[in-house]
């Protein structure tokens, strides 16, 4: 039975849709996008006249959308496919995410969606709603998370090199090729100026606070930062929307935006660092130290919770086979549950600067991870640290890659991370039982696909040797 709902459970309003349609008579169609466990946007393109009804009554979508692997194949072990008869649930628009898509012809718009049961109850395998639950837990304690993500990515040529490997894209301005790292080179950025100009224009059209762009620590690698949001839900939405628009604008300029964690074996991979702090009801940053204290107790306890739960959470932060190629010593990807101040060799960095802006920079996640799951898991770790008064241990100084870590053993590889996540009562609580089951089942299915694949490297190593 299709139960009637008077009020949107997501908080969306038909007035938002009508105002947008009035302001944008040129837009002919809309992407409606639901983010799955892998962070992949799935949904439909609808015509202009359909938009208002979606804001009035939601849009039916099959429950199986949330039970797909990275390729879009059904994972029956999630319990979201034939166990449920692959029935429809109802997706509702996320307020504030109805935006124009810059440069589309004919003009299109976009709105992010979240999944609910037909009676309006949250669908517990929806990643965004898992984050909302952790935000609600903090709100009940009088705490409100703020944050921002950093987006690292590669711009690659559409063609492979002579060895079949991916290669950095030529400059879209003049076709120039650079095989050098070019880290922090401003002149190097000029070659991609037309593309980045369109990325900034698209971000402005969508209300995304994209800020600094830098040339990162590998040929063809870049980083975009986002301005801090007082609403961590919107911070995660920003990252989802930014990845989509970067990919689209790169494609229009004839290059590929790559969000693999480690696309080029001899260079550094790409991370998705998450900056987070907590505010009280008065708007005061509770991570900020006061008086003569070195660090605030909530900051230290939050760090303690993140350190204690990091090992069992690594599947969220490194969810794919390729994710684990990023964790190499001295590659600016953390390899141990350590914390430090103004130190990029640790997993949890406390940036230097004004105490009023005190925050934790969570560094383990790759750019291939789902920002909603990252934020939900990080917030759950902080909550655990606050509730249990956990001690983070001594600060790591100097080279964090050489720091001896004995309290927590990190998973050695993807398979170990899957097993740790599967057994984790913490992660089950952080994601919720249904999403935990869904996510682990998807990862196990993907692992088996990779494990049974015979690669070119197998032939190179063994074909004529064993």
């Amino acid at each position: 039975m299709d139960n009637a709902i008077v009020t949107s459970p997501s908080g969306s309003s038909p007035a938002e849709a009508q105002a947008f349609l009035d302001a944008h008579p040129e837009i002919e169609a809309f992407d409606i996008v639901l983010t799955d466990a892998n962070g992949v946007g799935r949904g439909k393109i609808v015509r202009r006249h359909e938009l208002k009804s979606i804001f009035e009554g939601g849009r039916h979508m099959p429950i199986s959308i949330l039970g797909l692997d990275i390729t879009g194949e059904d994972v029956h072990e999630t319990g979201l496919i034939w166990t449920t008869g692959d029935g429809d649930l109802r997706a509702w628009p996320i307020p504030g995410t109805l935006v124009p898509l810059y440069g589309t012809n004919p003009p299109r718009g976009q709105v992010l969606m979240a999944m609910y049961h037909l009676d309006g109850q949250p669908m517990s395998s929806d990643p965004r709603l898992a984050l909302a639950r952790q935000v609600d837990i903090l709100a009940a304690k009088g705490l409100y998370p703020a944050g921002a993500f950093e987006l690292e990515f590669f711009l690659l040529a559409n063609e492979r090199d002579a060895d079949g490997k991916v290669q950095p894209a030529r400059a879209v301005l003049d076709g120039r090729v650079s095989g050098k790292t070019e880290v922090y080179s401003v002149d190097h950025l000029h070659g991609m100026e037309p593309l980045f100009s369109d990325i900034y224009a698209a971000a402005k059209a969508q209300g995304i606070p994209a800020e600094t762009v830098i040339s990162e620590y590998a040929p063809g690698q870049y980083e975009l930062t986002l301005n801090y949001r007082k609403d961590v839900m919107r911070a995660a939405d920003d990252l989802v929307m930014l990845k989509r628009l970067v990919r689209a604008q790169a494609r229009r300029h004839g290059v590929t935006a790559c969000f693999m964690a480690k696309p080029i074996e001899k260079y550094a991979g790409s991370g998705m660092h998450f900056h987070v702090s907590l505010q009280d009801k008065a708007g005061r940053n509770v991570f900020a130290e006061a008086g003569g204290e070195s660090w605030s107790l909530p900051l230290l306890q939050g760090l303690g919770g993140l350190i204690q739960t990091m090992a069992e959470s690594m599947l969220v932060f490194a969810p794919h086979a390729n994710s684990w190629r990023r964790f190499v010593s001295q590659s600016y990807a953390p390899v141990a549950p350590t914390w430090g101040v103004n130190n990029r060799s640790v997993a949890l960095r406390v940036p230097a600067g004004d105490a009023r802006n005190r925050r934790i920079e969570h560094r383990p996640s790759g750019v291939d991870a789902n920002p909603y799951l990252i934020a939900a898991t990080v917030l759950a770790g902080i909550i655990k640290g606050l509730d249990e008064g956990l001690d983070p241990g001594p600060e790591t100084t100097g080279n964090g890659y050489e720091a001896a870590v004995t309290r927590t053993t990190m998973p050695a590889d993807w398979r170990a991370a899957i097993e740790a996540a599967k057994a984790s009562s913490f992660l089950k609580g952080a994601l919720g039982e249904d999403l935990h089951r869904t996510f682990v089942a998807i990862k196990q299915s993907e692992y088996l696909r990779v494990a049974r694949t015979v690669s070119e490297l197998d032939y190179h190593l063994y074909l004529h040797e064993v």
Side-chain angles (χ1 to χ4, degrees), residues 369-449:
N370 183 327
Y372 296 126
L373 298 188
I374 293 171
T377 305
V378 167
L379 292 184
I382 291 172
I383 291 168
K384 181 178 176 68
L386 295 175
D387 287 349
E388 300 179 16
L390 298 180
D391 183 351
E395 173 193 347
T396 296
T397 58
N399 188 348
Y401 297 113
E402 297 176 352
V405 179
T406 58
R407 294 199 316 173
T408 306
T409 302
M410 297 285 277
D413 53 27
W414 191 29
R415 181 178 180 181
I418 293 171
E419 293 303 315
K422 184 177 181 180
S424 172
S425 58
F426 163 76
L427 199 59
K428 187 177 291 185
L431 303 182
E433 289 192 19
D434 290 338
L435 181 53
H436 177 266
R437 181 194 66 248
T438 298
F439 183 63
V440 171
I442 289 170
K443 295 297 109 182
Q444 287 179 316
S445 175
E446 291 173 353
Y447 170 79
L448 291 174
R449 177 185 287 233

Side-chain angles (χ1 to χ4, degrees), residues 81-96:
I81 315 299
W82 299 124
T83 304
T84 64
D86 195 16
D88 280 345
L89 297 186
R90 190 174 286 158
W92 288 86
I94 296 169

Side-chain angles (χ1 to χ4, degrees), residues 216-289:
E216 259 290 357
Y217 200 63
Q221 188 184 35
Y222 302 87
E223 178 185 274
L224 272 169
T225 62
L226 288 159
N227 195 20
Y228 218 66
R229 291 277 198 182
K230 290 184 178 180
D231 178 358
V232 77
M233 298 285 292
R234 189 56 206 261
D237 293 338
D238 285 342
L239 199 285
V240 168
M241 295 166 72
L242 184 61
K243 283 182 72 173
R244 285 182 58 79
L245 74 84
V246 168
R247 182 180 281 116
Q249 296 305 322
R251 191 174 184 181
R252 289 191 174 90
H253 282 271
V255 301
T256 296
C258 175
F259 300 109
M260 290 173 62
K262 183 79 167 178
I264 302 177
E265 59 193 38
K266 63 182 179 179
Y267 293 113
S270 295
M272 189 194 293
H273 302 164
F274 176 43
H275 295 252
V276 61
S277 60
L278 298 178
Q279 297 183 349
D280 62 18
K281 291 181 178 179
R284 185 183 70 88
N285 182 356
V286 302
F287 283 173
E289 61 272 16

Side-chain angles (χ1 to χ4, degrees), residues 116 122 126-139 145 232-233 372 375-376 379 430:
Y116 294 82
D126 185 311
R128 191 178 190 276
L129 298 181
L131 173 56
R133 193 165 62 86
Q134 295 301 323
V135 171
D136 289 344
I137 290 171
L138 281 167
V232 77
M233 298 285 292
Y372 296 126
L379 292 184

Side-chain angles (χ1 to χ4, degrees), residues 285-291 293-296 299 353-356 358:
N285 182 356
V286 302
F287 283 173
E289 61 272 16
E293 63 181 352
S294 296
W295 304 108
S296 77
L299 175 70
D354 192 330
R356 291 173 297 180
R358 191 66 67 222

Side-chain angles (χ1 to χ4, degrees), residues 7-16 54-56 92-95:
T7 304
S8 165
S10 71
S12 59
S13 165
E16 179 183 1
I54 292 173
F55 276 76
E56 291 170 341
W92 288 86
I94 296 169

